[in-house]
Amino acid sequence: MGGVANPVILTIDDDPAVSRAVARDMRRRYGDRYRVVRAGSGPSALETLRELKLRGEQVAVLVADYRMPEMTGIEFLEEAMDLFPAARRVLLTAYADTEAAIDAINLVDLDHYLLKPWHPPEEKLYPVVDTLLDAWATTPEAAAAELRVVGHRWSAPSFAIRDFLARNLVPYRWLLADDSEGGRLLKAADATVDDVPVVIAPDGTHLARPTEAELAALVGLRVAPTEEFYDLVVVGGGPAGLGAAVYGASEGLRTVLVERRATGGQAGQSSRIENYLGFPEGVSGAQLTDRARRQALKFGAELLTTREVTGLTEAGSARLLTFGDGSTIAAHAVVLATGVSYRVLDAPGLAELTGRGVFYGSAATEAPSCVDQEVYIVGGANSAGQAAVHFSRYAKRVHLLIRGADLTASMSRYLIDQLDRIDRVVVHPHTVVAAGAGTEHLERLTLADTRSGETREVDASWLFIFIGAQPRTDWLDGVLVRDERGFVVTGPDLVAGGRRPPGWSLTRDPYHLETSMPGVFAAGDVRAESVKRVASAVGEGAMAVSLVHRYLESR
């Protein structure tokens, strides 16, 4: 191991006999690769975790008994998440406590619960722990526990690196170039402040101003396909794309998902999704994305990052996709799930300040920097409301700027009620951003009243924009039928007056989610007339796979 301590499996139980038994079974199976540590209570286990954190060690799995004095297993796991968020969490429980264990799945993002007794371990313990260890080993934290990024505070390239890492759930340590430790790292990397951002891997490998593809390769994200031909290519890694990848791979299709930037899409940036089925306490976009990604990998799907698809053509019975670098990949069928992007706010001064105080989307990496400051958010849909709730935990005040008279036309009722209860959030109706100004970063905003035209200037360092949605379909111009806004038209909407779309080569009408090119389907926000919700996107991804099977069987 080159002097590096093995990752830790930590077991916590106040019953000494049970504690010894679970530790014994763990060491018998995993002792050659993992260090099994046991604790007799929640507080002592937390103290152990703090020591491990200070020493830079890794924790792979936490196994905590539910019923313990001083601190229950659920309470322990909830606090342990702050120290080792990537560690897989298991609750050890008696049959009578299974309801509490099920509740813990949402409360502490529990990965599994085990009933006592777990014998024989070969049937009831090891298969569960094997799966969790495999999932932990594939997370970026397991491969890069101490990735460091050195950059400038108000730097668009530095923000882009941090945002990419955050969206891909890669943990890192952020250091300012003008701080002493940041300066020492730059010197060790033979770099200067002019070379930042500099990214340094745990093994000492370092990159100055890396591209997203270089950064992805450095942190262990897959960037190249292993094959030239697949049963199914999914383009886009949001909820619809991840849903298609999970169902495609689980049903035996050789599946590859191609994502331009990071899995999760806009939903992956949400601080908390509270109306998703099965999560009564809500779930963060990052948690939902992580679970879906792990699920897709478990079933054998390949996930490619930083690969932009720029072309789609028919090649006999195959569908050929072209990447930005000119390379290609082919498949029997394609699911387009490229989602939408936020529209650019066209106001003087904002373009040059993007990444330096002006951000599109929630930019969750910036929230801790907004402590006791004024934050401005543009937009009246759910994404803007979720961001307002999230930033209200840090900011002195959050100003939500909307064009309309109120939020009822564009935001879910539960979010409106939630915002009404937060004193720090102020909604400004009939208000738009007319201009922005600043030198090294955003310093001032000019706000305009849409009714009177009157303007006022406010001091502001933080502006987050959530306006409208435009599909990423320019590369499909002339290839697929799109509506006037660029959304992909599918199914019955392609048949006008009994006539199928131009170039349609089959004797049947297009299937429900099928585009004007047979064998190519669209799911989620990119599809015309789709419901813009996470649950419906996941459903369409699953439905697209069932239609792919029907298409393949009918050829």
Side-chain angles (χ1 to χ4, degrees):
M1 296 293 293
V4 179
N6 285 347
V8 170
I9 296 174
L10 179 62
T11 69
I12 309 97
D13 199 301
D14 64 308
D15 186 327
V18 175
S19 179
R20 286 194 298 270
V22 69
R24 179 196 63 229
D25 286 342
M26 290 289 193
R27 290 193 183 100
R28 184 180 300 159
R29 176 86 164 196
Y30 308 107
D32 60 330
R33 293 163 290 148
Y34 295 87
R35 188 155 58 94
V36 179
V37 178
R38 63 188 181 99
S41 69
S44 66
L46 284 175
E47 185 60 33
T48 298
L49 286 182
R50 293 187 187 99
E51 292 177 7
L52 293 171
K53 187 71 174 179
L54 289 174
R55 293 202 298 264
E57 295 190 40
Q58 296 175 312
V59 176
V61 174
L62 301 166
V63 182
D65 186 54
Y66 171 61
R67 288 189 179 273
M68 294 187 295
E70 299 181 80
M71 177 181 286
T72 68
I74 294 175
E75 291 169 340
F76 163 76
L77 291 173
E78 191 170 15
E79 291 201 30
M81 288 172 68
D82 295 332
L83 292 169
F84 291 93
R88 303 306 174 190
R89 292 171 282 278
V90 179
L91 195 66
L92 197 60
T93 180
Y95 182 81
D97 296 321
T98 53
E99 186 174 342
I102 293 171
D103 290 340
I105 291 174
N106 288 319
L107 183 63
V108 296
D109 198 19
L110 191 69
D111 291 290
H112 210 280
Y113 67 89
L114 285 171
L115 291 177
K116 295 187 287 187
W118 58 86
H119 296 290
E122 290 78 9
E123 295 179 13
K124 298 184 178 180
L125 176 65
Y126 297 151
V128 171
V129 178
D130 285 347
T131 299
L132 296 179
L133 289 173
D134 287 343
W136 177 82
T138 61
T139 60
E141 185 174 7
E146 191 63 15
L147 189 78
R148 288 155 291 178
V149 179
V150 183
H152 293 304
R153 175 68 196 87
W154 295 110
S155 159
S158 295
F159 166 73
I161 294 293
R162 294 162 57 213
D163 189 52
F164 177 85
L165 293 173
R167 290 182 187 229
N168 282 285
L169 309 180
V170 179
Y172 65 92
R173 189 151 61 99
W174 165 242
L175 301 141
L176 294 175
D178 52 4
D179 282 352
S180 56
E181 187 175 2
R184 285 193 293 268
L185 284 172
L186 289 179
K187 185 176 181 180
D190 195 24
T192 69
V193 292
D194 295 328
D195 298 316
V196 298
V198 173
V199 182
I200 305 164
D203 63 0
T205 304
H206 52 273
L207 298 172
R209 292 181 173 267
T211 65
E212 288 188 347
E214 291 171 337
L215 186 58
L218 180 69
V219 301
L221 299 174
R222 186 184 293 275
V223 297
T226 60
E227 301 181 36
E228 295 181 355
F229 194 91
Y230 293 82
D231 295 320
L232 174 64
V233 174
V234 181
V235 184
L242 286 168
V246 167
Y247 283 95
S250 68
E251 293 174 11
L253 297 177
R254 289 173 300 161
T255 302
V256 60
L257 182 150
V258 181
E259 168 54 42
R260 185 174 62 95
R261 192 144 190 252
T263 51
Q266 288 187 12
Q269 302 177 59
S270 296
S271 56
R272 185 152 297 271
I273 303 168
E274 298 195 54
N275 59 351
Y276 190 73
L277 184 67
F279 291 88
E281 303 300 323
V283 60
S284 74
Q287 288 173 320
L288 195 62
T289 297
D290 180 48
R291 288 183 172 193
R293 184 163 57 184
R294 284 159 44 196
Q295 202 171 12
L297 291 170
K298 167 189 170 183
F299 288 122
E302 289 183 33
L303 305 184
L304 307 184
T305 310
T306 67
R307 298 305 299 268
E308 184 172 10
V309 178
T310 58
L312 169 65
T313 55
E314 292 186 75
S317 62
R319 301 294 174 261
L320 191 68
L321 293 164
T322 304
F323 293 128
D325 62 0
S327 61
T328 59
I329 189 172
H332 290 304
V334 174
V335 172
L336 300 175
T338 50
V340 295
S341 57
Y342 293 115
R343 290 206 320 269
V344 174
L345 181 55
D346 187 16
L350 296 186
E352 50 267 40
L353 293 171
T354 300
R356 298 188 291 130
V358 176
F359 306 94
Y360 288 88
S362 62
T365 54
E366 301 304 299
S369 301
C370 299
V371 173
D372 295 329
Q373 298 191 42
E374 305 279 336
V375 169
Y376 289 81
I377 295 175
V378 180
N382 280 7
S383 54
Q386 290 162 352
V389 172
H390 180 61
F391 280 99
S392 69
R393 299 170 189 156
Y394 302 89
K396 177 181 179 181
R397 189 172 290 103
V398 177
H399 302 271
L400 192 57
L401 313 179
I402 61 173
R403 282 182 171 273
D406 55 45
L407 295 167
T408 56
S410 55
M411 190 177 292
S412 295
R413 186 73 243 177
Y414 82 90
L415 258 180
I416 296 174
D417 294 340
Q418 194 171 355
L419 291 173
D420 286 342
R421 295 192 294 268
I422 303 175
D423 293 336
R424 293 186 179 187
V425 177
V426 180
V427 179
H428 300 267
H430 307 293
T431 305
V432 297
V433 174
T439 51
E440 292 190 356
H441 63 90
L442 177 68
E443 297 172 353
R444 294 176 305 282
L445 288 173
T446 301
L447 306 182
D449 189 304
T450 57
R451 298 163 299 179
S452 65
E454 293 182 2
T455 62
R456 59 190 175 95
E457 195 172 88
V458 295
D459 293 332
S461 297
W462 306 97
L463 176 67
F464 299 90
I465 300 167
F466 301 81
I467 55 169
Q470 54 187 18
R472 301 167 182 162
T473 60
D474 289 347
W475 61 283
L476 295 169
D477 185 32
V479 178
L480 300 181
V481 174
R482 302 181 298 156
D483 66 13
E484 65 279 0
R485 295 181 298 165
F487 291 92
V488 177
V489 181
T490 60
D493 292 335
L494 287 167
V495 181
R499 294 191 302 273
R500 297 174 182 131
W504 184 260
S505 57
L506 304 182
T507 57
R508 61 166 177 83
D509 289 348
Y511 293 138
H512 179 59
L513 300 180
E514 198 167 18
T515 70
S516 57
M517 181 183 292
V520 177
F521 300 82
D525 290 357
V526 73
R527 191 177 68 83
E529 306 303 323
S530 65
V531 178
K532 305 299 188 281
R533 288 289 184 270
V534 175
S536 60
V538 173
E540 287 195 4
M543 186 189 303
V545 171
S546 70
L547 295 173
V548 165
H549 282 294
R550 189 187 302 179
Y551 165 76
L552 294 176
E553 291 166 359
S554 65
R555 289 190 309 164

